Amino acid sequence: MIRFGLRLALAGGREALLRFVVIAAAVALGTGLLVSTIAGLRAVDAQVGRGSWLRGEQAPGAQAADPVVWAGREDTFAGTWIWRVDVGLKGPNPPAVPGIPRLPDPGQYYVSRPLHDLIATIPADQLAARFPGHEAGIIDADALTSPDSLVAVIGRTPGEAGGIPRAHELTSVSTAPLKIPTAALDLVLSVVAGGLLFPLLVFVGTATRLSAARREQRFAAMRLIGATPRQVTQLAAVEAGAAAVLGTIVGFALFPLLRVAMAAVPFTTERFFPDDLSPGLGMGVLIALGVPLAAVAAAALAMRRVRISPLGVARQVTPKPPRAWRLIPVVAGLAELAYFIGHRPETSNGQTAAFLPGFLVTMVGLVLAGPWLTMAGARLLARRARRLPALVAARRLADNPQAAFRAISGVMLALFVVSVATGVITTMNDERGVRYSDLAAVTLVQYTGDNNLPQDAPARLRGVEGVTLALVLHDNPDNGPDMPSNIIACTDLARIPQYGRCAPGAEYAAIWGNLVGFDRIRSGAGAGTVWPTVPVTADQAAALPSDTIVVVLDGTGAALERARTALELAFPDYEVPPATDLERGTNSRTQMQLFQRLADVIMLFSLPIAGCSLAVSVAGGIADRKRPFSLLRLTGVPLRALRRVVALESVVPLLAVALLAGATGFGAAQLFLRAQMGYNLTAPSLSFYALVALGLAVSLAIIAATLPLLERVTGPETARNE
């Protein structure tokens, strides 16, 4: 039976061979991306686990060593964050840490290979001077989160390390992986599974149904000549299983290429180590066995009508039309999200439990509502139709809207997920995003823990090349709402007129610590800004607390790094590293940019994949209806009219579900934003609509590529031979 099934699949003519190739290709693509998705999730876990020791947590139950004072903090260079650990040894046997043979003594430091390369090529006054002593060695890559990680472990005296904020003593260093927040993990899994994997599963399922009607007729004929239901099922399973096995092998063969591409993209703001991008032995075996078995099960399920009766295929009836009750789950999901407006749970776990079910119910509801929407679109098309193609297409869609919707269900869920993600991210960026002036790029701000900085502190910076002004800002005694936090002498402000000016006759003005402002309400507009007057004298200003040093630069990157290094040497016990507002803003926007990138990837991948599902469905429908189309051509229906029929059968449900998915996604995003943050949805940028239009255009182009098949399969010879 296996040999006969393989012969039917491979030697059953061009149609059988094409079906075999399409199924194999669909399974290969699905397997490759499924393996890549699992490998990516495992790589995130590996990346987090590699750097867990840098947090300096006590390892429970570990063998105690001599105490060490541990102070971890951040630094930055050229827009890239550096993680540095200052350690002060209190005995000859310090605790062990990954990547280095021993924690360094005072005057020594270990650095990662990328940081070593920077130190070797960058002038010392811009980077190397921040690390006292000499390099003792390179930190092994196995102890780093990424091939690009900038890490330094610096030896200090216990007193020096103990003066750094958040310093603490350890007798052992934990290397246990950090726990990923449940809410973040749920979001990532939901986006990946719903937005990328579902269209792939639809594609594979559609491919296994290629030419389903003709296959059913062939197997029904076998039943009539004596084949048992079990034998027919075995033949279908062999055909689908052989294609799935080949596709699975090809998918695993594609994975190394996909892994190279994934390793080059900083999905988590850091690149992955290629070796971390692996599905693992257990998951790899599960995928290798599960994908072919799933294809076999789908093929067996598709033969259920033939198993009932060999004549069941011929006596087909129009299925019952879908009812409007299918809209209830969508309404229920949106209502669940709306309920929590004003009733938001206080804890993160409670919020996840509140909002995630609403999104999932809405997604399931969209799948259930899709056939009804397709039928409604078909009836609308029929009422407005004035020509044969529209009437035939509307009749075809109305007869079996479930089959028409099946191939585009992946598009619906992909657009829903992307619409939700884009709506939430766009709104959060608009509400929380900091508006920066170009001037902020050349202002370096150092916030210290001192309340009374020495007045001569700026003198240490005046000799730094590229520094145009350095001054200490005192706290504003008028700390009313929306009042700038600091004050500046008008004589100093006059030296930097690009940041504004004082009112006539004023000696001191209220100004923000970065000289610009922090959002669209409280931001300085530059030279035209007149800052509020503060009624204090020079003596009164000198007596006010101060914890902010502002350095105005000439705009060059070298000057920025020289000034940063000078500030760190002047204040070696800093907690927050000296940085420009643009650098601080980049760090706060990282997560939103990550999810926006993920949403864009889902859109760019899922819409073409859904287009491929449509193409396979269209091609299969054409092949199944060769004889009716051929007879229509013999009666005088032009070929272009038949092409319009096929195009309308695909375009109408595609555009209908795209509209519903987008509207529902933005509606769900609005309800979530109101309930969780009290925001109103901000309209996405034009780039979102351009990406959606591009994805739909690619899908339509793929569909159009199948239309030439009509001319080849609907000639007069088809009507004679069928």
Side-chain angles (χ1 to χ4, degrees), residues 246-468:
L246 177 61
T248 302
I249 295 173
V250 174
F252 274 95
L254 289 174
F255 173 65
L257 300 177
L258 296 173
R259 181 169 65 178
V260 172
M262 291 178 65
V265 178
F267 285 106
T268 62
T269 71
E270 290 186 311
R271 293 190 302 147
F272 294 123
F273 283 103
D275 291 342
D276 289 341
L277 288 165
S278 169
L281 179 60
M283 187 60 68
V285 171
L286 181 62
I287 294 174
L289 297 177
V291 171
L293 289 176
V296 169
L301 185 63
M303 293 297 104
R304 62 188 184 277
R305 293 196 304 172
V306 180
R307 293 168 60 186
I308 296 173
S309 167
L311 298 178
V313 176
R315 295 197 295 264
Q316 298 183 25
V317 295
T318 300
K320 294 181 179 180
R323 302 296 183 183
W325 66 262
R326 291 172 173 266
L327 297 174
I328 294 177
V330 176
V331 176
L334 296 177
E336 196 265 357
L337 294 174
Y339 169 78
F340 289 100
I341 298 178
H343 302 87
R344 179 176 67 91
E346 295 297 329
T347 65
S348 297
N349 289 336
Q351 293 164 13
T352 300
F355 295 117
L356 190 58
F359 284 114
L360 294 178
V361 170
T362 304
M363 292 173 68
V364 172
L366 287 173
V367 176
L368 291 176
W372 183 88
L373 181 68
T374 302
M375 182 190 68
R379 291 177 176 176
L380 179 63
L381 178 64
R383 286 198 298 267
R384 295 182 175 274
R386 296 295 182 268
R387 296 179 181 274
L388 174 65
L391 288 171
V392 174
R395 176 64 178 174
R396 167 81 174 174
L397 289 173
D399 274 350
N400 195 355
Q402 290 89 343
F405 171 75
R406 187 181 299 119
I408 57 174
S409 55
V411 178
M412 171 175 275
L413 288 187
L415 281 175
F416 172 78
V417 172
V418 171
S419 298
V420 171
T422 301
V424 171
I425 292 168
T426 301
T427 302
M428 291 180 66
N429 279 331
D430 184 68
E431 294 287 346
R432 298 182 178 180
V434 179
R435 272 62 176 182
Y436 297 102
S437 164
D438 292 338
L439 298 173
V442 294
T443 305
L444 188 68
V445 183
Q446 171 69 72
Y447 302 103
T448 73
D450 299 324
N451 288 325
N452 288 286
L453 294 176
Q455 295 300 305
D456 62 348
R460 310 178 192 181
L461 300 166
R462 290 170 184 163
V464 176
E465 182 182 355
V467 173
T468 61

Side-chain angles (χ1 to χ4, degrees), residues 11-292:
R14 293 173 56 187
E15 180 181 307
L17 183 60
L18 175 63
R19 180 171 59 249
F20 184 88
V21 171
V22 170
I23 294 175
V27 172
L29 180 60
T31 301
L33 290 179
L34 178 60
V35 173
S36 299
T37 301
I38 299 299
L41 294 175
R42 284 173 52 87
V44 172
D45 291 337
Q47 191 176 71
V48 173
R50 285 175 179 273
S52 60
W53 65 275
L54 292 169
R55 303 295 175 180
E57 296 182 356
Q58 181 77 29
Q63 183 177 0
D66 291 331
V68 59
V69 180
W70 186 287
R73 50 184 174 165
E74 290 180 329
D75 195 358
T76 186
F77 176 82
T80 303
W81 290 101
I82 302 171
W83 184 258
R84 61 178 290 168
V85 178
D86 295 81
V87 294
L89 308 187
K90 286 192 169 183
N93 299 308
V97 298
I100 57 177
R102 185 179 182 274
L103 287 174
D105 292 312
Q108 298 178 336
Y109 61 82
Y110 289 89
V111 292
S112 61
R113 174 62 64 180
L115 184 54
H116 166 85
D117 294 340
L118 282 175
I119 291 174
T121 56
I122 300 298
D125 62 348
Q126 297 181 34
L127 182 60
R130 306 179 195 179
F131 312 116
H134 64 276
E135 183 180 300
I138 303 296
I139 303 174
D140 293 341
D142 291 341
L144 304 175
T145 59
S146 167
D148 304 322
S149 294
L150 303 181
V151 178
V153 181
I154 304 163
R156 308 286 293 274
T157 67
E160 291 172 339
I164 299 172
R166 294 183 297 177
H168 56 284
E169 284 194 9
L170 297 171
T171 56
S172 60
V173 179
S174 174
T175 57
L178 299 177
K179 293 183 179 180
I180 301 176
T182 303
L185 182 60
D186 287 341
L187 177 59
V188 172
L189 290 177
S190 299
V191 170
V192 172
L196 184 59
L197 297 184
F198 191 85
L200 284 172
L201 296 177
V202 171
F203 185 24
V204 174
T206 303
T208 59
R209 295 173 179 270
L210 186 62
S211 300
R214 293 181 58 81
R215 293 169 67 201
E216 289 175 349
Q217 292 174 2
R218 183 181 66 189
F219 288 131
M222 292 180 183
R223 289 288 314 279
L224 289 173
I225 61 175
T228 64
R230 180 179 180 182
Q231 290 174 326
V232 169
T233 301
Q234 287 178 346
L235 289 176
V238 167
E239 181 181 14
V245 168
L246 177 61
T248 302
I249 295 173
V250 174
F252 274 95
L254 289 174
F255 173 65
L257 300 177
L258 296 173
R259 181 169 65 178
V260 172
M262 291 178 65
V265 178
F267 285 106
T268 62
T269 71
E270 290 186 311
R271 293 190 302 147
F272 294 123
F273 283 103
D275 291 342
D276 289 341
L277 288 165
S278 169
L281 179 60
M283 187 60 68
V285 171
L286 181 62
I287 294 174
L289 297 177
V291 171

Side-chain angles (χ1 to χ4, degrees), residues 337-338 340-342 344 355 670-678:
L337 294 174
F340 289 100
I341 298 178
R344 179 176 67 91
F355 295 117
Q670 165 67 15
L671 295 174
F672 170 76
L673 289 166
R674 288 297 303 169
Q676 178 71 7
M677 307 167 199

